[in-house]
Amino acid sequence: MILRKQRPEKQGLYDPEMEHDACGVGFVVDIKGRKSHEIVQQSLELLINLLHRGACGCDPETGDGAGILLQIPHEFYKKACSKLGFELPDPGQYGVGMIFQSTVKAERELCEKAMEESIAAHGLDLLGWRDVPVVPSAVGKVAREAMPTFRQVFVKHRGDLTDQDAFERRIYLVRKAVHQLISEERVPNQLSYYVASFSSRTVIYKGMLIADQIAPFYPDLKDPDVKSAIGLVHSRFSTNTFPSWELAHPYRMIAHNGEINTLRGNRNWMRAREATLQSPLFGDDIKKLFPLVTETGSDTATFDNALEVLVMGGRSLPHAVMMMVPEAYTKDPTMTEEKRAFYEYHACLMEPWDGPAAISFTDGVQVGCILDRNGLRPGRYWVTNDDRMIFASETGVLDIPVENIRYKGKMKPGRMLLVDTAEQRIIDDEEIKHRVASHKPYGEWVDKYIIDLDKLPEPPEGSVKQPDHDTLLRRQQAFGYTL
């Protein structure tokens, strides 16, 4: 759902279909997975040092957008929810939804009713709601006028799920079903309703903010009990777009610097796939996931939707990212055959999401980044002696003493960098792509099932019917052929 009073309709020279971003992105991660408030503080400091990458409009105190994605701070939420009269189970056994809602009570109640019905219908238990404290005076006049209300919903499963990934899929299903339920009430795009995050692993604080406003606006982020091993941040420069609360980054799995130039085709293909989509993990509930991607959000929001679908469908996060952002593999003589086969096979399943882009991604366990195949956006990283990695769209984002830097580097075209906090190590491009590409016999499948048109036998002489040249142009026009 799109928040109200955010972007105008198409008019004059403005067309929302033509919106693009150019932003600052970065993350701080403890490679060993140790959660601390210091990671949160460093991430916010990194964000403030990307302030020049963001932008503001005629109101200098209203930003294009800024935000931070964290692992769920269990100690903090346990304390906060206990004061509200409900207790949280162990980490991983409950999920938190960060929801932007209408300031109109009746509209807000309708959305919350839909959420509670969906939670019950999908076998989860509602633990409670929490009003997220905010400080409106910390933001500009334009941001305040468009500001929604902020509430968190807490849910748990009933012990019927085998692992946390299954719990994540159930939460995902709840969120998508609520979207459909509200649409059926004939209020799409009129209610202020947007789920910034809903997960048992991560939570997002973001909005129509300037980078240095996010901590003053969200007092939660200053609490010492807000601890995380991952902090993914973003400062938005919306170039020729309108800022809005829901289009701030990070999205549920990514933060992005650049633009996806193939967006219209990507959306069309995702819509076309809905007719044949199947999944043993979702079964008959698969139709609740439609539409798979947003038709009204930004290029980044659409990319995030597609990545979510692939990951929730059972693929690993690196696998899904490789599908969407392939390397330039067709004429690379140095590429291994197994990796080339992976890309060739998946080219039959999904077209590339192409454009100048540096994309950071996380599922709350793994965090990484990838550069587009042309390397048209910058990416730098540092690894410290105390086992932290800092990644950003430029250098100088944190003041790290030289003696504490183990090594540093820059991202290369099409390359991926990954930190796995469960394995407690950095996994380089070569290793992660070998692991993904060798997981299935892609080379065998390519040889067996892909038909090269150049290798088809010639048809018998005289068997090909010649077209009626007198009517050919008319028929081509009737069937949509272009020059």
Side-chain angles (χ1 to χ4, degrees):
M1 290 295 170
I2 303 299
L3 293 180
R4 183 183 301 188
K5 298 179 183 177
Q6 303 285 309
R7 291 181 293 166
E9 300 296 325
K10 179 178 178 180
Q11 55 185 288
L13 296 177
Y14 171 72
D15 185 345
E17 292 290 324
M18 303 303 293
E19 293 203 345
H20 302 290
D21 296 342
C23 321
V25 63
F27 63 74
V28 181
V29 55
D30 188 298
I31 298 167
K32 301 300 181 182
R34 298 165 296 195
K35 296 184 177 183
S36 68
H37 187 60
E38 186 181 6
I39 291 287
V40 179
Q41 291 175 312
Q42 281 193 321
S43 301
L44 292 173
E45 182 183 349
L46 186 159
L47 178 60
I48 290 171
N49 288 332
L50 290 174
L51 188 147
H52 62 284
R53 285 279 193 164
C56 59
C58 58
D59 176 4
E61 295 183 341
T62 293
D64 281 8
I68 183 169
L69 180 153
L70 304 168
Q71 292 175 319
I72 287 178
H74 174 68
E75 294 175 23
F76 173 75
Y77 285 146
K78 187 174 181 66
K79 174 180 67 177
C81 293
S82 180
K83 292 178 181 178
L84 295 173
F86 62 94
E87 301 297 326
L88 296 180
D90 293 335
Q93 301 300 308
Y94 68 94
V96 183
M98 174 70 88
I99 305 175
F100 297 177
Q101 295 191 113
S102 173
T103 55
V104 179
K105 182 179 178 181
E107 295 177 350
R108 187 168 61 248
E109 289 176 347
L110 180 61
C111 290
E112 290 181 359
K113 178 184 176 183
M115 174 63 78
E116 291 177 4
E117 287 177 358
S118 184
I119 289 169
H122 292 90
L124 301 180
D125 290 329
L126 173 69
L127 293 172
W129 290 87
R130 173 179 180 254
D131 292 320
V132 179
V134 295
V135 181
S137 60
V139 302
K141 178 177 180 291
V142 174
R144 284 197 301 273
E145 289 176 350
M147 188 174 70
T149 58
F150 307 87
R151 300 202 79 195
Q152 288 175 331
V153 61
F154 292 81
V155 300
K156 70 173 183 177
H157 65 80
R158 299 170 181 171
D160 60 327
L161 301 177
T162 55
D163 55 35
Q164 197 170 358
D165 288 339
F167 188 24
E168 285 289 296
R169 283 191 292 273
R170 189 73 62 85
I171 290 173
Y172 174 61
L173 199 59
V174 167
R175 195 190 86 222
K176 298 290 281 190
V178 171
H179 187 112
Q180 285 192 352
L181 191 59
I182 292 176
S183 296
E184 289 169 3
E185 295 286 345
R186 300 186 181 279
V187 287
N189 301 331
Q190 295 179 14
L191 285 181
S192 296
Y193 174 82
Y194 173 74
V195 182
S197 64
F198 198 176
S199 171
S200 63
R201 293 187 174 119
T202 60
V203 65
I204 294 171
Y205 290 81
K206 68 175 185 177
M208 201 163 143
L209 309 167
I210 301 173
D212 58 1
Q213 292 175 341
I214 187 165
F217 182 74
Y218 287 113
D220 284 5
L221 298 174
K222 299 178 183 179
D223 194 294
D225 285 332
V226 174
K227 300 175 182 178
S228 176
I230 296 171
L232 175 61
V233 297
H234 188 274
S235 179
R236 186 171 187 237
F237 193 124
S238 53
T239 319
N240 58 344
T241 73
F242 283 88
S244 61
W245 282 89
E246 84 280 10
L247 291 184
H249 302 214
Y251 287 91
R252 298 168 193 118
M253 300 193 82
I254 73 163
H256 166 232
N257 172 31
E259 47 194 81
I260 305 298
N261 293 334
T262 56
L263 181 61
R264 179 169 297 183
N266 295 136
R267 280 176 172 166
N268 288 343
W269 276 113
M270 292 301 292
R271 191 186 313 115
R273 292 186 181 103
E274 292 177 2
T276 57
L277 197 66
Q278 298 180 16
S279 170
L281 297 175
F282 289 103
D284 293 337
D285 286 334
I286 196 75
K287 290 184 173 56
K288 295 179 182 179
L289 306 184
F290 304 158
L292 295 176
V293 300
T294 176
E295 295 291 332
T296 56
S298 65
D299 54 350
T300 317
T302 311
F303 186 103
D304 183 74
N305 290 162
L307 183 63
E308 251 191 330
V309 170
L310 295 174
V311 172
M312 294 300 175
R315 293 174 176 85
S316 70
L317 182 57
H319 184 154
V321 172
M322 286 173 65
M323 286 179 64
M324 296 183 68
V325 189
E327 296 177 67
Y329 65 92
T330 53
K331 295 182 180 180
D332 185 352
T334 65
M335 183 173 289
T336 63
E337 287 303 316
E338 66 177 10
K339 191 160 66 168
R340 190 190 313 279
F342 171 89
Y343 287 127
E344 192 172 353
Y345 174 81
H346 285 89
C348 299
L349 304 181
M350 174 166 285
E351 63 295 325
W353 294 63
D354 216 357
I359 300 170
S360 293
F361 53 86
T362 185
D363 60 3
V365 178
Q366 297 178 324
V367 60
C369 52
I370 191 169
L371 229 56
D372 67 271
R373 66 177 92 185
N374 294 311
L376 296 175
R377 285 292 184 271
R380 305 276 181 160
Y381 61 89
W382 302 260
V383 178
T384 65
N385 291 325
D386 55 352
D387 291 311
R388 290 185 183 178
M389 174 180 277
I390 299 101
F391 167 82
S393 49
E394 59 200 82
T395 59
V397 291
L398 285 180
D399 187 13
I400 306 295
V402 175
E403 60 272 17
N404 192 32
I405 297 177
R406 189 184 307 167
Y407 63 88
K408 56 187 176 180
K410 65 178 181 179
M411 296 297 293
K412 298 178 181 179
R415 298 296 190 265
M416 183 187 297
L417 190 66
L418 189 74
V419 177
D420 191 317
T421 61
E423 294 188 19
Q424 299 185 2
R425 68 189 186 96
I426 299 169
I427 309 177
D428 64 23
D429 179 83
E430 185 175 347
E431 180 184 349
I432 189 60
K433 288 181 178 175
H434 167 71
R435 182 189 297 182
V436 172
S438 61
H439 185 61
K440 299 287 185 182
Y442 296 113
E444 179 183 324
W445 293 347
V446 166
D447 292 339
K448 186 175 181 180
Y449 297 113
I450 291 184
I451 299 173
D452 191 332
L453 294 180
D454 292 336
K455 297 179 181 178
L456 290 176
E458 291 294 328
E461 188 175 351
S463 63
V464 179
K465 183 179 178 181
Q466 294 298 313
D468 181 354
H469 292 284
D470 292 337
T471 63
L472 179 59
L473 179 60
R474 189 188 318 141
R475 288 184 288 117
Q476 286 175 329
Q477 291 174 331
F479 283 89
Y481 280 70
T482 66
L483 291 176

